[in-house]
Amino acid sequence: MRNLSSLKKEFLRKWIKGLRKYNSQKKNMNLLERKKAIKLSADLAMASTKDKTTLWRKALFANTSTKIDDEQDMSTTSSTPQKKVIRKNSTNSYPLRKRITGRRKILRRNHTKERVEASFIAMRLVKKRTRKLKSLLPGGKFMDDSCLVDETLDYIESLKAQVEVMRCLVTSSELFINQP
Amino acid sequence: MEQQPTGTIHALDSVQFNEEIQGIMIPAPAPENASSFTALLELPPTQAVELLHLPDCDGTDSGRLSCCHVSVNQKPYLQNSSNGNLTFPTNAALIERAAKFSVFAGENTSPGEVRLFPAVSGLNLESVKNEPQETDSNPCSTQECVSDPAVENKNQRNVKRKEREKKAKPSSKKSKSVADETSGDGEKLPYVHVRVRRGQATDSHSLAERARREKINARMKLLQELVPGCDKISGTALVLDEIINHVQTLQRQVEILSMKLAAVNPRIDFNLDRLLASDGSSLMDSNLPSMVTPLMWPEIPLNINRPHYQQQWQLDAFHQPLWGREEDNHHFMTPENSLLSYDSPANSASLHSNQLKMEL
């Protein structure tokens, strides 16, 4: 089993780094913006841990880069170091995305025959669920079954670490507020 | 005059015939004429029974002759029939052979017996048909007959055993011989030398698919262990349901916690350098309180000391005194502030550190 505490430490370090960098640009943020910033930096930190080139990590980077681009377009601030960080980290692009989704739609239109045997019903149930899982995972659309299971393993572990670290922070800050 | 001696001769002959036949009858009935036996079989049962009782009755010479002739052929087969019932002729040897075959059948399971008996009966018919042709001594003929059906039976039994075993234990693994690799999907040979389950296909495609499926199943087991509450669930769909649920809850928790953090901390700032500088196992424990508490400091001294430098102060002020870092000149910092900032939370920091250590 992997070392959860080391994962947490690494995540925390990177998260704080990201938070600081992000906040150095924007001074006044409302709640939602702050929340977005926190979440973003947390996701990025999580994605950059362990130096593993898993699909979901790459997908996270790609997604966040697009998000930041959008935000940049909306706001008028100058270039962000965050964006540079993201660009440094992202390695793959996804040119196949549109092609694959297009093909899937066509396939579904032609697939009309359905069978009633138990094995087929079971297969359909499992397929439904794998589709849902793929939608949950970042970058899940491009994974096959075996890859999917590996990626979910990794993702669940990192999510657990992230949740635990954040919870610690929240409780400690709450304690501080309530204390005096 | 001529008739009489012939009649007497015939009578004598018939008597002799009867005696001879009775002597032959007991060890093993061997018909002298093949045609007679088949003729017996073709006869309807009623006529056969009548023929049975014919030798007893008296009749003309020709009748006697015919009776004897018939009786010669029939008596050995009708020995056991005592009543006038319409019972089929029973054969002692046949019964013995049937008993022998049933011994073979007794080794196997019940479906085997069911299958064997029709084979046995067929064999018996065949062997009985073969008997009339043989004119050798009785023991030889019986031995040969026994051996032939025995051999045939063994072959049939092997075939049937294979069929039975196919149905019995499908999960037992067998090895596969090299010669059998070329066999098709439906071939179920008894000796298989590779890790192929009995009754499953042996194509390279299906082998690869099976390997892939096993790999996926192994990973699913790992996932089951990771997700709490999945151990007792059986079935891929339900396990996947649980996994999806778990991932969704974790993602929602991240959202909620980030919202909470945003609400709790008006300024997102942390003391990082201390963290980054030192690498230790107790890093988390010692630094979290020091990291968190400075967040709240700006709120308190802000109002008191330098209100017009609020914003910059919040973000950058605490970096300098803590780490000795020289940032921009416009960052306003006084030692007063630093002293004030460190005094107030000094007491509370210890409390927080204890709590955080417990949590982590």
Side-chain angles (χ1 to χ4, degrees):
Chain A
M1 277 300 285
R2 296 152 193 171
N3 197 359
L4 200 63
S5 60
S6 64
L7 186 67
K8 281 199 259 181
K9 274 179 235 165
E10 201 184 340
F11 164 69
L12 183 66
R13 252 179 254 165
K14 296 191 178 173
W15 185 24
I16 289 163
K17 226 190 209 177
L19 279 173
R20 283 180 60 209
K21 278 185 184 165
Y22 204 97
N23 291 312
S24 58
Q25 319 121 36
K26 295 191 180 181
K27 310 295 176 181
N28 281 328
M29 289 189 284
N30 58 5
L31 184 73
L32 283 172
E33 280 178 358
R34 252 182 283 143
K35 175 237 169 189
K36 263 191 200 172
I38 290 168
K39 183 153 186 273
L40 198 74
S41 45
D43 287 340
L44 282 172
M46 193 176 69
S48 60
T49 55
K50 279 200 157 186
D51 292 325
K52 273 196 181 176
T53 54
T54 48
L55 270 176
W56 66 265
R57 287 192 165 98
K58 294 180 197 169
L60 253 185
F61 285 133
N63 291 340
T64 48
S65 65
T66 54
K67 272 188 209 167
I68 284 173
D69 283 342
D70 294 339
E71 281 178 16
Q72 288 298 312
D73 292 339
M74 285 167 66
S75 65
T76 55
T77 54
S78 53
S79 69
T80 61
Q82 196 79 331
K83 204 173 170 185
K84 286 177 191 169
V85 163
I86 290 156
R87 286 217 174 120
K88 219 194 274 180
N89 284 325
S90 67
T91 52
N92 286 345
S93 59
Y94 293 94
L96 297 169
R97 193 186 288 178
K98 285 178 186 174
R99 261 185 261 159
I100 285 168
T101 52
R103 264 186 216 147
R104 278 215 188 119
K105 282 179 188 169
I106 290 164
L107 279 170
R108 274 181 198 152
R109 248 181 268 146
N110 292 337
H111 177 73
T112 50
K113 184 181 180 184
E114 291 205 353
R115 301 184 192 181
V116 199
E117 292 96 342
S119 60
F120 287 111
I121 291 171
M123 218 162 55
R124 254 186 281 138
L125 285 175
V126 170
K127 271 189 189 169
K128 256 194 208 174
R129 273 132 180 119
T130 48
R131 252 183 277 150
K132 183 137 197 227
L133 189 59
K134 280 184 188 176
S135 71
L136 277 181
L137 274 196
K141 297 182 222 171
F142 315 101
M143 299 178 200
D144 56 340
D145 281 346
S146 58
C147 201
L148 184 72
V149 178
D150 282 335
E151 298 280 327
T152 49
L153 262 173
D154 207 28
Y155 189 60
I156 285 174
E157 206 182 338
S158 333
L159 270 181
K160 264 189 189 171
Q162 189 182 12
V163 163
E164 282 175 16
V165 168
M166 289 175 95
R167 203 176 277 153
C168 281
L169 264 181
V170 170
T171 49
S172 59
S173 55
E174 276 180 347
L175 280 168
F176 183 77
I177 287 171
N178 296 333
Q179 183 93 90
Chain B
M1 280 175 68
E2 287 177 356
Q3 285 181 358
Q4 282 184 0
T6 54
T8 53
I9 288 164
H10 283 305
L12 279 168
D13 286 336
S14 67
V15 167
Q16 281 174 3
F17 265 132
N18 281 326
E19 286 172 358
E20 282 174 14
I21 287 151
Q22 282 174 11
I24 292 162
M25 233 165 37
I26 298 160
E32 293 176 1
N33 288 326
S35 57
S36 63
F37 181 68
T38 51
L40 174 70
L41 285 174
E42 288 163 18
L43 283 171
T46 52
Q47 284 188 14
V49 172
E50 283 172 17
L51 285 169
L52 266 176
H53 298 291
L54 271 173
D56 298 328
C57 62
D58 297 327
T60 57
D61 293 344
S62 59
R64 219 187 273 167
L65 265 173
S66 63
C67 289
C68 292
H69 181 72
V70 170
S71 69
V72 160
N73 300 318
Q74 289 169 11
K75 251 194 177 174
Y77 303 97
L78 304 172
Q79 187 187 6
N80 294 326
S81 63
S82 52
N83 302 327
N85 298 332
L86 282 173
T87 55
F88 240 74
T90 54
N91 190 354
L94 281 175
I95 290 166
E96 280 175 31
R97 261 182 236 123
K100 280 179 196 168
F101 294 150
S102 64
V103 165
F104 285 135
E107 294 172 358
N108 306 321
T109 56
S110 53
E113 288 175 359
V114 171
R115 275 184 230 141
L116 277 171
F117 285 144
V120 166
S121 61
L123 284 170
N124 288 339
L125 283 171
E126 284 170 23
S127 62
V128 166
K129 277 175 188 170
N130 288 329
E131 281 174 14
Q133 294 166 5
E134 293 165 11
T135 55
D136 294 336
S137 62
N138 293 324
C140 295
S141 65
T142 52
Q143 276 175 9
E144 284 179 29
C145 288
V146 167
S147 61
D148 286 333
V151 168
E152 288 178 36
N153 194 25
K154 268 182 191 168
N155 292 332
Q156 288 200 0
R157 187 178 19 111
N158 284 336
V159 168
K160 277 154 192 167
R161 187 176 275 165
K162 287 176 210 168
E163 289 175 18
R164 238 178 292 115
E165 282 174 335
K166 275 180 234 160
K167 295 182 185 180
K169 289 174 187 177
S171 63
S172 64
K173 289 189 181 178
K174 301 260 169 174
S175 52
K176 181 186 170 192
S177 65
V178 178
D180 296 331
E181 277 180 4
T182 54
S183 62
D185 292 349
E187 282 297 316
K188 289 155 193 173
L189 299 164
Y191 302 103
V192 184
H193 286 303
V194 155
R195 273 182 256 142
V196 172
R197 285 191 195 163
R198 176 146 246 178
Q200 287 194 359
T202 57
D203 294 345
S204 60
H205 291 295
S206 47
L207 275 173
E209 238 193 75
R210 205 176 306 129
R212 177 183 150 267
R213 256 183 278 145
E214 280 171 9
K215 191 178 158 194
I216 289 179
N217 286 334
R219 305 280 171 81
M220 286 290 290
K221 273 186 194 168
L222 272 178
L223 256 183
Q224 269 187 301
E225 287 166 25
L226 194 65
V227 175
C230 256
D231 295 343
K232 295 157 193 174
I233 299 176
S234 61
T236 323
L238 293 171
V239 166
L240 279 173
D241 260 346
E242 284 293 323
I243 292 166
I244 287 169
N245 206 9
H246 196 240
V247 167
Q248 274 176 336
T249 46
L250 283 173
Q251 282 176 340
R252 250 181 263 147
Q253 273 178 359
V254 167
E255 291 266 342
I256 289 167
L257 283 170
S258 62
M259 187 70 93
K260 260 193 185 177
L261 265 180
V264 160
N265 300 324
R267 288 148 297 280
I268 311 159
D269 192 16
F270 297 95
N271 294 338
L272 244 195
D273 284 359
R274 228 188 260 173
L275 241 188
L276 296 170
S278 55
D279 293 318
S281 56
S282 59
L283 212 66
M284 295 277 276
D285 306 339
S286 54
N287 281 312
L288 264 176
S290 55
M291 269 167 14
V292 174
T293 49
L295 271 173
M296 298 300 115
W297 298 347
E299 289 187 69
I300 304 157
L302 256 178
N303 303 325
I304 301 164
N305 293 325
R306 319 256 171 167
H308 46 279
Y309 288 109
Q310 269 184 32
Q311 291 176 356
Q312 280 184 355
W313 209 26
Q314 296 157 24
L315 295 172
D316 306 315
F318 289 96
H319 301 324
Q320 277 192 339
L322 292 169
W323 315 295
R325 193 166 29 133
E326 289 277 320
E327 292 197 358
D328 303 325
N329 291 327
H330 61 271
H331 286 207
F332 193 94
M333 197 56 220
T334 61
E336 295 175 51
N337 291 329
S338 58
L339 282 168
L340 268 170
S341 57
Y342 281 107
D343 277 339
S344 48
N347 300 324
S348 53
S350 58
L351 283 166
H352 294 308
S353 64
N354 290 331
Q355 279 158 339
L356 282 161
K357 272 174 190 167
M358 278 167 61
E359 284 167 15
L360 286 169

